[in-house]
Amino acid sequence: MSRHRIALFGGTLAFYLAIVWAVLITSWLVALDWKVMLFRPYQQWPELHPFLDYYVVLGQRGPTAVMVACWLGWRSWRQHTLRPLLVLGTSLLLLNVTVGAVKLGLGRLGPHYATQIGSAEMFAGGDIFPSGHTANAVVTWGILAYLATTPRARRYLSAVSATVSLGVGLTTVYIGTHWLSDVLLGWAAGLLILLALPWFEPLIARTEEWIFAMRERWRERRGGARPAPVADAGPQPVLLPQSMATDGLTAEAVTAPAEPVLPAGHPAAATRARAHGGHPARPGSMPVAPAGVRRPPPHTERGPRAGSPARPMTGG
């Protein structure tokens, strides 16, 4: 996270805590809340009410989450990544945990249920501080700017999300469902979640890898083990004796398919020998040369060579 983002996160957090403290001590901010509430904006400009009743839906979690999820789902499918959807899910989870915990912990009542003028209405069983509509609008529409791929698109989407969230917050004040301080705290809460998302990027990346790994395992388990294809070995080279090599034959000139070596006396040995036009090999005998290969005459250690004159015998 950059220093600029860290500074912005620290400033927003300080503003968040200041709003909470100002409401807890019933400061001038609570008096402003009552002045706006007693002014009753929905009675001052009643012609805006029909339009703002529909506009405030842009801050409701259900409809906005579905719309943004559809858009980010299409992006995930096009880009072959789950990061957009995982970022949205992480932001909504953080929103539910942080905003929901503060709502239930402080228990502030809304303007329509206030019991005493000038009171902060804290710890009375309510759930409107901070404004969930406002925080949800900041987070849901701000995700689009956070996931923008170009600086220009990020600037445009940031302006759109700021306008929508600002309008949603003021609309809740107009119709009287929230105090002004609720809206201020909702803006800060949503912005804190967007600024904290870079810290969760490593976790999002590991989750994406785990999901893809589980998908591959499921595909392998569904498809079953498939045997690997066996390549055709082709003809195997035959090693020639040294005597054949001296006659001008090389190993590349004579090739034959590889045959298994059979033990002596095996019934298949005789069949193979007859197929080659010879006789079964006996242990210790010379191998039968392939057809068409001239084998040199065997060298005998005893007796004269054929065709050589016999040495006369002399008496001793």
Side-chain angles (χ1 to χ4, degrees):
M1 183 180 289
S2 63
R3 293 183 179 180
H4 176 73
R5 186 179 292 270
I6 293 176
L8 189 58
F9 182 86
T12 306
L13 180 60
F15 178 78
Y16 184 96
L17 296 176
I19 296 296
V20 175
W21 179 252
V23 173
L24 286 175
I25 65 175
T26 316
S27 65
W28 60 269
L29 185 58
V30 176
L32 180 62
D33 287 339
W34 277 98
K35 288 182 180 180
V36 174
M37 182 265 184
L38 295 176
F39 181 70
R40 289 181 171 83
Y42 58 89
Q43 293 181 355
Q44 303 298 325
W45 303 284
E47 63 276 4
L48 298 177
H49 208 290
F51 169 74
L52 295 180
D53 278 342
Y54 290 101
Y55 182 81
V56 78
V57 177
L58 295 177
Q60 289 185 357
R61 192 162 309 168
T64 56
V66 170
M67 288 188 294
V68 175
C70 291
W71 167 253
L72 296 181
W74 181 79
R75 281 189 54 182
S76 297
W77 177 74
R78 287 290 302 272
Q79 300 174 359
H80 303 284
T81 177
L82 294 177
R83 180 174 174 267
L85 291 176
L86 291 177
V87 169
L88 176 62
T90 302
S91 62
L92 293 179
L93 180 62
L94 292 175
L95 179 65
N96 291 332
V97 171
T98 57
V99 175
V102 176
K103 278 175 174 286
L104 297 178
L106 298 179
R108 191 182 190 186
L109 293 176
H112 293 313
Y113 303 96
T115 58
Q116 183 180 355
I117 296 178
S119 172
E121 304 294 335
M122 300 291 285
F123 308 108
D127 59 351
I128 54 97
F129 184 68
S131 171
H133 267 69
T134 306
N136 182 73
V138 174
V139 171
T140 306
W141 300 107
I143 285 296
L144 300 179
Y146 178 82
L147 295 174
T149 56
T150 62
R152 183 178 181 181
R154 186 174 295 109
R155 288 194 299 268
Y156 286 155
L157 292 175
S158 297
V160 171
S161 62
T163 302
V164 172
S165 58
L166 180 65
V168 169
L170 294 179
T171 300
T172 60
V173 176
Y174 169 85
I175 61 181
T177 58
H178 279 289
W179 306 97
L180 181 61
S181 57
D182 299 343
V183 174
L184 295 177
L185 196 64
W187 284 332
L191 186 57
L192 283 176
I193 293 174
L194 290 179
L195 293 174
L197 277 178
W199 286 327
F200 293 88
E201 286 291 346
L203 178 61
I204 292 173
R206 289 195 295 268
T207 304
E208 182 182 17
E209 294 177 359
W210 179 81
I211 292 176
F212 281 140
M214 293 299 295
R215 184 188 65 175
E216 294 300 326
R217 291 179 183 176
W218 179 78
R219 286 181 176 179
E220 293 177 358
R221 188 175 303 174
R222 183 181 179 183
R226 298 178 180 178
V230 179
D232 187 10
Q236 301 294 328
V238 177
L239 299 180
L240 302 178
Q242 185 178 2
S243 59
M244 294 184 181
T246 56
D247 292 340
L249 295 177
T250 59
E252 291 78 1
V254 180
T255 56
E259 296 179 348
V261 179
L262 300 177
H266 195 278
T271 304
R272 182 183 300 176
R274 288 192 297 269
H276 287 288
H279 300 280
R282 294 187 302 273
S285 62
M286 292 184 60
V288 178
V293 178
R294 183 172 58 86
R295 186 175 61 186
H299 177 68
T300 56
E301 296 184 1
R302 293 184 178 181
R305 295 186 180 180
S308 60
R311 181 181 300 177
M313 296 181 61
T314 60

